[in-house]
Amino acid sequence: MHKRTIGGHDVSAIGLGGMPMSIEGRPDEDRSIATIHAALDAGIDLIDTADAYHRDANEVGHNEELIARALHAYGPGADGVLVATKGGHLRPGDGTWTRNGDPEYLKRAAKESARRLGVDAIGLYQFHRPDPTVPYADSVGAIRDLLDEGVIRMAGISNADVAQIDEARDVLGGRLVSVQNQFSPAFRSSQGELEHCAELGIAFLPWSPLGGIKNAKDLAARHAAFQDVADEVGASVYQVTLAWQLALAPVVIPIPGASRPESIRDSAGAADLVLTADQVARLSV
């Protein structure tokens, strides 16, 4: 598996997004653990989660605990895995999402995440989504404090625009290592943030890089150019999509969600797929 860098930490060029294993429509735990183990077997050593990745109101942190159990069951081979989690988004249990960027709440949430993950310090902690009721600098200031206190080892943000990236860098004293935004063939409005991260040398982690849980199955039908290239190179349309994103900048590390071993094995193969400049240009139109 080819490597890329988050804050000086080498990780696999493709990560695993844990959300589908914990929200509505999730598989049973055995299949989820098999999916995580398949990712590790394929060389993936970056797993993205959040305390909000759960279905019911009384199971906050479901995905974090699931990942912790899976890594423990895998044994010493999981020791080098970077688990990236997030705080600031909430799910009240009715299928909706709410936000809480209060600094004290974020500090409590991070410590609870560390407990659920079974770690002394979280490898990468990300502010999940801006809260319009709280000044952005105040929320990111909580992440800075967690970094200073050693509760987290690296700091990131998610769902941020260019101005917020710059503000977060300033608040964190230049220690911002990652930005996690939605980006896919169908959702390209984060192109500016991707390019800004490339200029700054900050890792850019596309979430829903294949279009999301509901739409991934229609990727080829909706984006014919990606299927055309897949036919040319003899790969799946999903591998081509991820390889295209990798080709956009060396800071890009897609984190496709998966709930089946075969899905994450296929995604992992994108790290070895090299597209021509002409193919990348055709897909970037």
Side-chain angles (χ1 to χ4, degrees), residues 73-151:
Y74 195 80
D79 291 345
V81 173
L82 174 62
V83 178
T85 192
K86 301 182 287 295
H89 231 350
L90 301 88
R91 302 201 78 204
D94 59 0
T96 63
W97 297 77
T98 58
R99 313 180 196 190
N100 189 343
D102 175 74
E104 293 308 312
Y105 166 77
L106 290 171
K107 292 177 184 179
R108 291 194 303 271
K111 291 170 184 176
E112 281 298 298
S113 289
R115 179 189 61 78
R116 286 188 290 264
L117 290 169
V119 296
D120 295 328
I122 296 170
L124 172 60
Y125 193 71
Q126 305 152 100
F127 178 36
H128 203 157
R129 188 177 287 273
D131 180 350
T133 69
V134 179
Y136 194 66
D138 291 353
S139 298
V140 178
I143 310 300
R144 176 201 59 217
D145 293 346
L146 290 166
L147 197 57
D148 291 341
E149 294 166 14
V151 177

Side-chain angles (χ1 to χ4, degrees), residues 34-44 74 265:
T35 300
I36 295 168
H37 288 180
L40 301 181
D41 290 343
I44 290 174
Y74 195 80
R265 289 192 196 105

